[in-house]
């Protein structure tokens, strides 16, 4: 749990601090780790506050972010996963932070395009859910997810950006059995299991 001082709630606030000691004396090494000049920690994440993404503090001081995620289903009924090159490591669905003044559906489309080069067709909104314990590189240990599902275009190739490697298509049972999912992706696969079954959002169901 990362707690922040409510005094930081300032639209123009922008800073990066050590997740261990709070020092702003941070540099990044060649591997992308945050290196603290005060306490010596080398970490894959820092507490980063920027005015461009949606964030808030809960009553207990917990630092929250908002994230849009999208399940992309192909004609074979499989879903797109890729391996994250940044914290949190593991297999993920395309996802990313929702920007200030950005509609979550727009964020889902934008992240899908940025991370995989895929253009989303119609989005189906699966739901919104708070996931405490979902940690990110920017220092939050809690995220509110806006989750969507879409059908992949038959002729589009997946081209990952620097945030991911090794794209794979996995059936729902394969995703449920996968042991390398990120915490959030695992949570969402289980939560939306019924909605992710192939017939659940097929055309003609009126959904
Ligand atoms: Zn430190
Ligand atoms: Zn975050």
């Amino acid at each position: 749990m990362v707690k922040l001082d409510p005094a930081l709630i300032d639209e123009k606030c922008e800073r990066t601090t050590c997740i261990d000691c709070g020092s702003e004396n941070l540099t990044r090494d060649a591997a992308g780790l945050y290196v603290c000049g005060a306490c010596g920690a080398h970490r894959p994440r820092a507490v980063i506050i920027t005015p461009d993404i949606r964030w808030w503090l809960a009553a207990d001081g917990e630092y929250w972010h908002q994230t849009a995620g999208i399940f992309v289903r192909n004609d074979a009924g499989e879903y797109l996963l890729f391996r994250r090159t940044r914290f949190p490591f593991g297999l993920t669905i395309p996802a990313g932070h929702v920007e200030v003044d950005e509609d979550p559906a727009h964020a889902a489309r934008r992240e899908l395009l940025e991370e995989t080069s895929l253009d989303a067709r119609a989005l189906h909104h699966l739901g919104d859910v708070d996931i405490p314990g979902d940690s990110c590189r920017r220092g939050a240990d809690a995220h509110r997810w806006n989750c969507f599902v879409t059908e992949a275009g038959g002729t589009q190739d997946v081209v990952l950006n620097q945030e991911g490697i090794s794209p794979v298509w996995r059936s729902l049972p394969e995703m449920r059995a996968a042991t390398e999912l990120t915490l959030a992706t695992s949570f969402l696969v289980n939560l939306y299991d019924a909605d992710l079954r192939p017939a659940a959002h097929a055309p003609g169901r009126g959904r």
Side-chain angles (χ1 to χ4, degrees):
M1 177 169 186
V2 172
K3 291 191 176 189
L4 294 182
D5 182 344
L8 288 169
I9 300 177
D10 170 354
E11 284 185 16
K12 292 180 287 295
C13 178
E14 186 155 12
R15 61 169 214 172
T16 300
T17 57
C18 174
I19 198 157
D20 285 36
C21 77
S23 169
E24 292 189 67
N25 183 7
L26 281 188
T27 53
R28 293 188 83 176
D29 68 10
L33 294 178
Y34 295 89
V35 181
C36 180
C39 75
H42 288 58
R43 302 290 181 218
R45 57 197 300 237
V47 179
I48 300 171
I49 297 176
T50 58
D52 58 320
I53 66 167
R54 292 196 198 184
W55 68 272
W56 63 94
L57 300 182
D60 59 1
E62 174 93 53
Y63 181 36
W64 282 80
H65 289 166
Q66 187 164 339
T67 290
I70 183 164
F71 286 89
V72 182
R73 182 170 165 264
N74 67 12
D75 293 340
E78 300 162 327
Y79 292 93
L80 176 62
L81 299 172
F82 61 83
R83 189 171 300 280
R84 288 182 52 84
T85 58
R86 299 172 176 178
F87 185 93
F89 303 105
L91 289 173
T92 185
I93 58 171
H97 292 112
V98 179
E99 295 178 356
V100 171
D101 298 329
E102 184 180 37
D103 177 71
H106 181 273
R109 286 180 183 278
R110 176 180 54 73
E111 290 290 344
L112 180 65
L113 188 62
E114 288 175 5
E115 293 183 335
T116 72
S117 82
L118 294 179
D119 256 323
R121 295 179 184 173
L123 298 191
H124 170 68
H125 184 211
L126 288 169
D128 307 315
V129 61
D130 288 351
I131 309 183
D134 172 32
S135 303
C136 78
R137 182 181 64 87
R138 298 197 196 193
D141 284 335
H143 287 78
R144 175 165 299 162
W145 280 73
N146 308 122
C147 207
F148 300 86
V149 61
T150 190
E151 307 288 335
T155 59
Q156 297 187 75
D157 286 329
V158 175
V159 180
L160 298 180
N161 71 1
Q162 74 284 355
E163 294 178 49
I165 54 172
S166 308
V168 290
W169 294 92
R170 291 288 180 261
S171 69
L172 186 56
E174 287 169 342
M175 286 200 295
R176 280 199 301 265
T179 57
E180 295 178 276
L181 301 181
T182 60
L183 181 144
T185 296
S186 177
F187 186 99
L188 295 167
V189 165
N190 284 292
L191 180 66
Y192 297 122
D193 178 88
D195 294 301
L196 293 172
R197 290 165 195 261
H201 53 93
R205 283 280 303 268
R207 295 175 59 115

